Amino acid sequence: MQEARNKLSRDDRNAVGALQVSSKAFEVWFMFVAAGLVYDVTMFMAERKGKFIPIGFLTTYLEFGDLRYFCTSSPWTTPFQPRPTSRWGKNWGSTLILYGFLFFVISMSVTANLMGPGSAVLMIPVLQYRNTTFKDGPVLKELAMGEQPSDISISDNCNSSRFLAGDYRCLSNWYGRTLDGLLTGALASYIQAPVDLWPISSGLSQEGLVSLLFNVTCSVVNHEYDCGLFSSPNRQILRSMSADSEKFLRDSFAGELEPSLNNSLQTVIHRMGPSIAQNVSCFLSNTSVATITEDRTVRCYGMLDANFCVPVGRGWQYDNNNSNFSLENLNETIGNTVVNIYSSEVAVNQSWAHGGCAAKDESCWNSGFTAKHDTINNVTITEFRNRGVSADSVLFCLGWFYPSHSHYELDPTVANDINLVRITSSYQDTAAPQGVHPDWFLAGWSTARGRTVTSRAAGVAADAVSHVYETQGGGGGGAIAIDYFGFLQRIVFAQAMSLVSFTTTPKDSRAERNNPKPFTLDSWAVVYVYAYGIETRTAIMGAFVVSVGIACALLRTVTAIIRRERTKSAFELLAAALKHQYDGEFDGMQKEVQMARVRVRVDRPRYRGTKGMGFKFEREDGSEGPLGGTGWGDPGYYGVMGTGSEQNVYPLTASPELMRTGGESAGHLGRP
């Protein structure tokens, strides 16, 4: 295995090295292209009839690649007239054109200097995650959290008749043992962790081949951790991910993985699915019951400055349910802990300052329950009582539950040796909580209605309840005991919510089309591979630079076709300048920035079919000076005969008679 990894690493280095050489070669090629384009544009401007450019710009095609050139004052002052105090005056239109040319040269310089790294970014593949094997899933129809558990696929040992009777003890072999591990682990964490630096670990849980953690959201309140919000991964989704993991492992061992998955450094399996978030708070406070009729009662719980009240009984028009079971406690003095669970779609906070409803005032209660209380409706209340309960107080927890749409991911490779499934993101369609049937919490405890749970988890929870009652009125110790018990209760609630099943509809069904916010349970794999792409900012920059380079190459092709002339070297340009007859163009100028402003026009005389090169300098009156220079590649120096457009160029070896016949007036030689 190590030998194979070393070989792959060596191959990667060789491939990256070859691509780096290629990107450098591409940069060198573009420098030739850019230099040719700058030269062509310079010559287009310099050869215009009656127009002049600063002589300093004739060499820009040789200097533009060095950014230090633009850090001097010469290119920035060159567009100005050489003698602004003379009668030339200022031609702002010409100056702006020259500055436009300068910015064109700057852009070519920047492009040329960025072409190497820009092309390297695009040529050299980088490690990145790529989606593959995408599968459209069905659309989520409904989470069954508001209904009594009925999906027997939760466990192989269950049947419909037992679920219908409220008996969920068939889940104990799978999930009863899981809850034992979660609560005993939390107890160990509570014993070891400093009481002021919680949170306590919620522990790992298993589902098939994968493991999960209950996500905990904590905040710091008054210099203490407040971990009130838990999120439960859905075990129905986890069973699907377990099947995905099993297929991946078996195909991997058999060498039958899909090529897109096999040729990667890492594979991550993704699924979209539901999860359930919870917000649970526990209190030790007084309770009261108002009995209106035998089948209609109101339970109220004292909280700070108000009574939190819910309707209980089948006689109410509001949906409500209740259930109960017991937790075994080996301390016979205290006895077992009786757990009563109430769920209601409505609730009301009755302020003590403004009074409440009389016990039998049904109209008053209905008025409170029908008022809009979206944030406190659909509440679940769990009471815990044993013989340590005082006459006027009881330990209870209020819970609200929020269905969420979540993104699950699993790395099935050895890098994730515990096969942990993570929820990377979640969102909710509504901020309002949804109702939960009390029997889901019986399923979480793997018990039946009215039965007693005899397990390690039951012992941990019963001891925590007893500790709360023993420390009531004891100051800080009592608050810590309630916080610890609340954390245990959140784990139990999270375990129960992870069992909630859901139903789906086909993606193209009529029900799906009528759903304004369909949530599709798609699945796909993501591979970690060397690949090309422009997802990053540097890649986007590289793509832009290379695109500009391609445009420049095409433009250079056009200009080369039009001009049909190769780019001249610095020596050839120098030779042409040396053969020009000096006529005082630089008199009185000592600095480079002054001489670079002198305006010149390039003329292209011909001799025997060969295009030469000559210079005409602009005089103070705006006229052209005499032509002087040489034709590249022609023999000897050249003289210029005639004036204006009738000038002719002859080699110095020509006979005097030939030179005399070239014009009526005597000319001058290209070299005195």
Side-chain angles (χ1 to χ4, degrees):
M1 179 65 73
Q2 187 62 39
E3 182 180 351
R5 289 182 179 178
N6 293 338
K7 181 181 182 302
L8 290 174
S9 178
R10 184 170 58 254
D11 292 344
D12 289 343
R13 288 195 300 271
N14 292 337
V16 170
L19 291 172
Q20 287 176 332
V21 172
S22 300
S23 66
K24 186 62 180 180
F26 184 72
E27 177 186 4
V28 172
W29 168 80
F30 182 75
M31 288 298 294
F32 285 108
V33 172
L37 181 58
V38 173
Y39 173 81
D40 287 344
V41 174
T42 303
M43 290 298 107
F44 276 129
M45 295 183 63
E47 294 175 3
R48 296 175 298 169
K49 294 293 184 181
K51 303 293 183 180
F52 301 87
I53 69 168
I55 193 171
F57 279 167
L58 290 180
T59 59
T60 51
Y61 76 98
L62 300 172
E63 300 177 285
F64 81 101
D66 189 352
L67 291 175
R68 292 176 298 178
Y69 169 66
F70 301 101
C71 295
T72 64
S73 60
S74 178
W76 302 101
T77 59
T78 295
F80 291 112
Q81 295 285 0
R83 296 181 178 89
T85 58
S86 69
R87 61 171 177 261
W88 270 325
K90 294 183 178 180
N91 187 340
W92 291 109
S94 174
T95 301
L96 290 177
I97 292 175
L98 292 174
Y99 270 112
F101 170 74
L102 176 62
F103 284 114
F104 161 74
V105 175
I106 293 173
S107 66
M108 293 302 300
S109 176
V110 173
T111 302
N113 281 279
L114 291 179
M115 188 58 64
S119 59
V121 169
L122 297 182
M123 283 187 178
I124 301 175
V126 296
L127 282 171
Q128 54 186 283
Y129 288 99
R130 287 296 182 90
N131 291 344
T132 183
T133 64
F134 187 90
K135 296 180 181 179
D136 288 327
V139 175
L140 177 65
K141 181 180 180 181
E142 183 181 22
L143 271 170
M145 56 194 296
E147 304 296 331
Q148 180 180 343
S150 59
D151 185 3
I152 60 173
S153 65
I154 296 176
S155 174
D156 294 340
N157 300 325
C158 299
N159 57 62
S160 299
S161 60
R162 297 187 69 175
F163 273 15
L164 186 62
D167 186 351
Y168 310 101
R169 289 173 293 177
C170 56
L171 301 175
S172 61
N173 196 39
W174 284 18
Y175 301 118
R177 299 178 189 275
T178 298
L179 191 61
D180 287 345
L182 291 173
L183 293 195
T184 53
L187 172 61
S189 179
Y190 169 71
I191 293 172
Q192 297 182 45
V195 294
D196 58 339
L197 293 178
W198 287 359
I200 306 170
S201 171
S202 63
L204 278 173
S205 181
Q206 189 82 11
E207 184 63 46
L209 290 179
V210 301
S211 58
L212 65 140
L213 280 171
F214 299 130
N215 292 2
V216 185
T217 301
C218 299
S219 58
V220 178
V221 179
N222 296 327
H223 306 288
E224 294 182 357
Y225 277 111
D226 180 13
C227 303
L229 187 62
F230 269 48
S231 182
S232 302
N234 185 273
R235 291 184 181 272
Q236 188 172 338
I237 288 291
L238 295 180
R239 285 192 286 274
S240 298
M241 300 199 77
S242 176
D244 294 339
S245 177
E246 180 179 0
K247 183 178 186 305
F248 177 87
L249 293 175
R250 292 190 184 280
D251 290 350
S252 179
F253 295 151
E256 299 175 354
L257 274 178
E258 297 181 27
S260 59
L261 301 180
N262 191 38
N263 300 323
S264 64
L265 299 179
Q266 184 185 21
T267 300
V268 180
I269 298 172
H270 294 254
R271 277 188 179 270
M272 302 302 294
S275 64
I276 300 176
Q278 59 167 286
N279 189 5
V280 175
S281 299
C282 297
F283 307 89
L284 181 65
S285 181
N286 63 302
T287 63
S288 60
V289 179
T291 302
I292 298 174
T293 63
E294 184 177 347
D295 60 352
R296 291 198 302 278
T297 62
V298 178
R299 302 189 70 85
C300 294
Y301 303 84
M303 297 175 55
L304 299 178
D305 60 349
N307 276 327
F308 186 87
C309 303
V310 295
V312 177
R314 296 296 182 183
W316 291 103
Q317 58 180 314
Y318 320 110
D319 186 23
N320 69 92
N321 290 281
N322 63 86
S323 193
N324 67 86
F325 65 97
S326 298
L327 301 175
E328 182 184 41
N329 192 330
L330 298 179
N331 187 334
E332 297 182 357
T333 303
I334 297 177
N336 294 342
T337 297
V338 178
V339 182
N340 292 297
I341 308 171
Y342 305 93
S343 66
S344 174
E345 68 169 337
V346 295
V348 63
N349 261 328
Q350 290 195 331
S351 172
W352 293 348
H354 297 86
C357 296
K360 294 185 175 294
D361 191 348
E362 185 174 357
S363 176
C364 178
W365 290 116
N366 280 324
S367 177
F369 292 143
T370 55
K372 189 176 180 60
H373 304 294
D374 287 345
T375 58
I376 64 172
N377 285 343
N378 290 313
V379 65
T380 297
I381 303 175
T382 311
E383 295 181 359
F384 301 85
R385 299 172 180 269
N386 60 23
R387 295 173 186 170
V389 178
S390 65
D392 59 352
S393 63
V394 67
L395 177 62
F396 66 94
C397 296
L398 303 180
W400 290 270
F401 301 88
Y402 308 84
S404 305
H405 299 163
S406 299
H407 180 181
Y408 294 77
E409 69 173 37
L410 165 68
D411 179 359
T413 66
V414 293
N416 180 20
D417 54 357
I418 60 173
N419 248 17
L420 178 65
V421 175
R422 299 188 307 122
I423 292 180
T424 59
S425 62
S426 294
Y427 69 93
Q428 299 167 1
D429 283 339
T430 176
Q434 302 298 307
V436 178
H437 195 283
D439 277 13
W440 281 110
F441 302 104
L442 273 65
W445 277 103
S446 302
T447 188
R449 296 173 191 163
R451 293 287 184 167
T452 299
V453 182
T454 58
S455 65
R456 294 180 180 178
V460 172
D463 287 345
V465 172
S466 300
H467 187 53
V468 170
Y469 285 122
E470 290 169 359
T471 56
Q472 60 177 308
I480 293 174
I482 292 178
D483 288 342
Y484 164 61
F485 172 77
F487 194 88
L488 296 182
Q489 186 65 6
R490 294 182 186 104
I491 293 177
V492 173
F493 279 5
Q495 168 79 341
M497 292 299 96
S498 72
L499 300 174
V500 173
S501 57
F502 60 85
T503 55
T504 61
T505 58
K507 188 170 184 179
D508 297 325
S509 66
R510 178 178 299 179
E512 185 273 332
R513 290 193 296 269
N514 294 333
N515 187 350
K517 295 181 180 180
F519 178 56
T520 306
L521 308 184
D522 298 326
S523 62
W524 68 97
V526 172
V527 291
Y528 193 48
V529 293
Y530 282 104
Y532 297 97
I534 55 172
E535 288 82 6
T536 64
R537 294 180 180 178
T538 53
I540 293 173
M541 180 275 294
F544 176 77
V545 170
V546 171
S547 298
V548 173
I550 293 173
C552 292
L554 295 175
L555 183 58
R556 165 58 177 158
T557 302
V558 174
T559 59
I561 293 174
I562 295 174
R563 290 186 54 78
R564 297 183 181 179
E565 178 188 25
R566 68 178 178 84
T567 303
K568 307 305 180 185
S569 68
F571 173 77
E572 291 171 311
L573 186 64
L574 177 62
L578 289 174
K579 295 174 184 179
H580 176 77
Q581 180 179 352
Y582 182 65
D583 196 26
E585 291 87 357
F586 301 101
D587 288 351
M589 300 181 185
Q590 300 296 327
K591 298 180 179 180
E592 177 188 354
V593 293
Q594 295 175 318
M595 292 184 286
R597 299 178 188 174
V598 174
R599 303 298 175 89
V600 67
R601 187 174 74 82
V602 176
D603 211 341
R604 313 309 294 268
R606 290 182 177 273
Y607 171 69
R608 293 178 181 177
T610 301
K611 184 182 290 187
M613 185 179 202
F615 301 103
K616 290 185 177 182
F617 286 87
E618 185 181 19
R619 292 173 172 170
E620 290 193 22
D621 61 359
S623 63
E624 296 179 352
L627 176 66
T630 180
W632 288 316
D634 292 335
Y637 296 133
Y638 289 78
V640 181
M641 298 298 296
T643 59
S645 61
E646 300 300 324
Q647 289 176 333
N648 297 305
V649 180
Y650 304 97
L652 291 181
T653 56
S655 65
E657 290 79 12
L658 176 62
M659 295 174 65
R660 280 196 298 272
T661 60
E664 297 180 357
S665 60
H668 66 276
L669 296 178
R671 176 172 179 168

